[in-house]
PDB file of all heavy atoms in Angstrom:
ATOM      1  N   ALA H 250      13.790  57.319   7.600  1.00 97.00           N
ATOM      2  CA  ALA H 250      14.235  58.385   8.496  1.00 97.00           C
ATOM      3  C   ALA H 250      13.298  58.572   9.680  1.00 97.00           C
ATOM      4  O   ALA H 250      13.691  59.184  10.688  1.00 97.00           O
ATOM      5  CB  ALA H 250      14.364  59.698   7.725  1.00 97.00           C
ATOM      6  N   VAL H 251      12.072  58.047   9.591  1.00 98.00           N
ATOM      7  CA  VAL H 251      11.166  58.100  10.741  1.00 98.00           C
ATOM      8  C   VAL H 251      11.806  57.386  11.936  1.00 98.00           C
ATOM      9  O   VAL H 251      11.675  57.827  13.086  1.00 98.00           O
ATOM     10  CB  VAL H 251       9.804  57.452  10.390  1.00 98.00           C
ATOM     11  CG1 VAL H 251       8.948  57.279  11.643  1.00 98.00           C
ATOM     12  CG2 VAL H 251       9.061  58.299   9.358  1.00 98.00           C
ATOM     13  N   ILE H 252      12.515  56.298  11.671  1.00 97.00           N
ATOM     14  CA  ILE H 252      13.173  55.543  12.742  1.00 97.00           C
ATOM     15  C   ILE H 252      14.262  56.396  13.397  1.00 97.00           C
ATOM     16  O   ILE H 252      14.364  56.471  14.626  1.00 97.00           O
ATOM     17  CB  ILE H 252      13.752  54.231  12.191  1.00 97.00           C
ATOM     18  CG1 ILE H 252      12.612  53.328  11.685  1.00 97.00           C
ATOM     19  CG2 ILE H 252      14.585  53.504  13.253  1.00 97.00           C
ATOM     20  CD1 ILE H 252      13.059  52.122  10.905  1.00 97.00           C
ATOM     21  N   PHE H 253      15.070  57.063  12.567  1.00 97.00           N
ATOM     22  CA  PHE H 253      16.116  57.925  13.118  1.00 97.00           C
ATOM     23  C   PHE H 253      15.489  59.047  13.947  1.00 97.00           C
ATOM     24  O   PHE H 253      15.980  59.401  15.018  1.00 97.00           O
ATOM     25  CB  PHE H 253      16.965  58.538  12.004  1.00 97.00           C
ATOM     26  CG  PHE H 253      17.432  57.563  10.968  1.00 97.00           C
ATOM     27  CD1 PHE H 253      17.563  57.950   9.636  1.00 97.00           C
ATOM     28  CD2 PHE H 253      17.748  56.249  11.294  1.00 97.00           C
ATOM     29  CE1 PHE H 253      17.998  57.060   8.678  1.00 97.00           C
ATOM     30  CE2 PHE H 253      18.180  55.340  10.338  1.00 97.00           C
ATOM     31  CZ  PHE H 253      18.290  55.764   9.022  1.00 97.00           C
ATOM     32  N   HIS H 254      14.404  59.617  13.427  1.00 98.00           N
ATOM     33  CA  HIS H 254      13.723  60.728  14.099  1.00 98.00           C
ATOM     34  C   HIS H 254      13.179  60.292  15.463  1.00 98.00           C
ATOM     35  O   HIS H 254      13.325  61.008  16.460  1.00 98.00           O
ATOM     36  CB  HIS H 254      12.591  61.243  13.211  1.00 98.00           C
ATOM     37  CG  HIS H 254      11.904  62.463  13.737  1.00 98.00           C
ATOM     38  ND1 HIS H 254      12.428  63.728  13.606  1.00 98.00           N
ATOM     39  CD2 HIS H 254      10.729  62.601  14.414  1.00 98.00           C
ATOM     40  CE1 HIS H 254      11.613  64.606  14.169  1.00 98.00           C
ATOM     41  NE2 HIS H 254      10.572  63.940  14.673  1.00 98.00           N
ATOM     42  N   LEU H 255      12.555  59.110  15.490  1.00 98.00           N
ATOM     43  CA  LEU H 255      12.002  58.619  16.753  1.00 98.00           C
ATOM     44  C   LEU H 255      13.106  58.351  17.776  1.00 98.00           C
ATOM     45  O   LEU H 255      12.914  58.551  18.979  1.00 98.00           O
ATOM     46  CB  LEU H 255      11.193  57.339  16.513  1.00 98.00           C
ATOM     47  CG  LEU H 255       9.873  57.507  15.761  1.00 98.00           C
ATOM     48  CD1 LEU H 255       9.267  56.145  15.432  1.00 98.00           C
ATOM     49  CD2 LEU H 255       8.888  58.345  16.572  1.00 98.00           C
ATOM     50  N   ALA H 256      14.276  57.897  17.284  1.00 97.00           N
ATOM     51  CA  ALA H 256      15.394  57.617  18.189  1.00 97.00           C
ATOM     52  C   ALA H 256      16.041  58.909  18.675  1.00 97.00           C
ATOM     53  O   ALA H 256      16.282  59.083  19.882  1.00 97.00           O
ATOM     54  CB  ALA H 256      16.421  56.736  17.492  1.00 97.00           C
ATOM     55  N   ARG H 257      16.299  59.830  17.749  1.00 97.00           N
ATOM     56  CA  ARG H 257      17.043  61.044  18.103  1.00 97.00           C
ATOM     57  C   ARG H 257      16.167  62.092  18.783  1.00 97.00           C
ATOM     58  O   ARG H 257      16.569  62.692  19.783  1.00 97.00           O
ATOM     59  CB  ARG H 257      17.662  61.644  16.835  1.00 97.00           C
ATOM     60  CG  ARG H 257      18.760  60.783  16.228  1.00 97.00           C
ATOM     61  CD  ARG H 257      19.131  61.279  14.849  1.00 97.00           C
ATOM     62  NE  ARG H 257      20.166  60.460  14.221  1.00 97.00           N
ATOM     63  CZ  ARG H 257      20.424  60.455  12.911  1.00 97.00           C
ATOM     64  NH1 ARG H 257      19.719  61.232  12.088  1.00 97.00           N
ATOM     65  NH2 ARG H 257      21.375  59.681  12.427  1.00 97.00           N
ATOM     66  N   VAL H 258      14.995  62.315  18.246  1.00 97.00           N
ATOM     67  CA  VAL H 258      14.128  63.366  18.765  1.00 97.00           C
ATOM     68  C   VAL H 258      13.143  62.825  19.798  1.00 97.00           C
ATOM     69  O   VAL H 258      12.874  63.448  20.816  1.00 97.00           O
ATOM     70  CB  VAL H 258      13.362  64.062  17.615  1.00 97.00           C
ATOM     71  CG1 VAL H 258      12.439  65.156  18.150  1.00 97.00           C
ATOM     72  CG2 VAL H 258      14.342  64.649  16.602  1.00 97.00           C
ATOM     73  N   GLY H 259      12.615  61.603  19.518  1.00 97.00           N
ATOM     74  CA  GLY H 259      11.644  61.028  20.438  1.00 97.00           C
ATOM     75  C   GLY H 259      12.258  60.278  21.600  1.00 97.00           C
ATOM     76  O   GLY H 259      11.552  59.920  22.552  1.00 97.00           O
ATOM     77  N   GLY H 260      13.576  60.023  21.530  1.00 97.00           N
ATOM     78  CA  GLY H 260      14.249  59.340  22.619  1.00 97.00           C
ATOM     79  C   GLY H 260      13.833  57.893  22.791  1.00 97.00           C
ATOM     80  O   GLY H 260      13.999  57.308  23.869  1.00 97.00           O
ATOM     81  N   MET H 261      13.314  57.281  21.730  1.00 98.00           N
ATOM     82  CA  MET H 261      12.861  55.892  21.817  1.00 98.00           C
ATOM     83  C   MET H 261      14.010  54.931  21.534  1.00 98.00           C
ATOM     84  O   MET H 261      14.876  55.212  20.701  1.00 98.00           O
ATOM     85  CB  MET H 261      11.714  55.647  20.829  1.00 98.00           C
ATOM     86  CG  MET H 261      10.456  56.442  21.138  1.00 98.00           C
ATOM     87  SD  MET H 261       9.132  56.196  19.895  1.00 98.00           S
ATOM     88  CE  MET H 261       8.692  54.475  20.209  1.00 98.00           C
ATOM     89  N   SER H 262      14.009  53.794  22.216  1.00 98.00           N
ATOM     90  CA  SER H 262      15.015  52.761  21.959  1.00 98.00           C
ATOM     91  C   SER H 262      14.640  51.974  20.706  1.00 98.00           C
ATOM     92  O   SER H 262      13.502  52.047  20.223  1.00 98.00           O
ATOM     93  CB  SER H 262      15.090  51.804  23.148  1.00 98.00           C
ATOM     94  OG  SER H 262      13.896  51.029  23.240  1.00 98.00           O
ATOM     95  N   MET H 263      15.599  51.184  20.186  1.00 96.00           N
ATOM     96  CA  MET H 263      15.323  50.361  19.019  1.00 96.00           C
ATOM     97  C   MET H 263      14.204  49.360  19.302  1.00 96.00           C
ATOM     98  O   MET H 263      13.342  49.116  18.462  1.00 96.00           O
ATOM     99  CB  MET H 263      16.587  49.636  18.568  1.00 96.00           C
ATOM    100  CG  MET H 263      17.606  50.503  17.864  1.00 96.00           C
ATOM    101  SD  MET H 263      16.998  51.206  16.299  1.00 96.00           S
ATOM    102  CE  MET H 263      16.767  52.932  16.785  1.00 96.00           C
ATOM    103  N   ASP H 264      14.208  48.796  20.501  1.00 94.00           N
ATOM    104  CA  ASP H 264      13.156  47.842  20.863  1.00 94.00           C
ATOM    105  C   ASP H 264      11.788  48.520  20.907  1.00 94.00           C
ATOM    106  O   ASP H 264      10.778  47.947  20.477  1.00 94.00           O
ATOM    107  CB  ASP H 264      13.456  47.198  22.216  1.00 94.00           C
ATOM    108  CG  ASP H 264      14.572  46.166  22.133  1.00 94.00           C
ATOM    109  OD1 ASP H 264      14.911  45.747  21.007  1.00 94.00           O
ATOM    110  OD2 ASP H 264      15.111  45.788  23.192  1.00 94.00           O
ATOM    111  N   GLU H 265      11.738  49.728  21.417  1.00 97.00           N
ATOM    112  CA  GLU H 265      10.473  50.468  21.475  1.00 97.00           C
ATOM    113  C   GLU H 265       9.970  50.800  20.071  1.00 97.00           C
ATOM    114  O   GLU H 265       8.770  50.708  19.787  1.00 97.00           O
ATOM    115  CB  GLU H 265      10.642  51.747  22.287  1.00 97.00           C
ATOM    116  CG  GLU H 265      10.787  51.510  23.782  1.00 97.00           C
ATOM    117  CD  GLU H 265      11.147  52.769  24.550  1.00 97.00           C
ATOM    118  OE1 GLU H 265      11.815  53.672  23.975  1.00 97.00           O
ATOM    119  OE2 GLU H 265      10.771  52.866  25.733  1.00 97.00           O
TER     120      GLU H 265
END
Side-chain angles (χ1 to χ4, degrees):
V251 170
I252 296 170
F253 312 146
H254 185 80
L255 290 173
R257 292 169 181 162
V258 179
M261 295 177 68
S262 69
M263 286 297 107
D264 286 345
E265 288 172 331

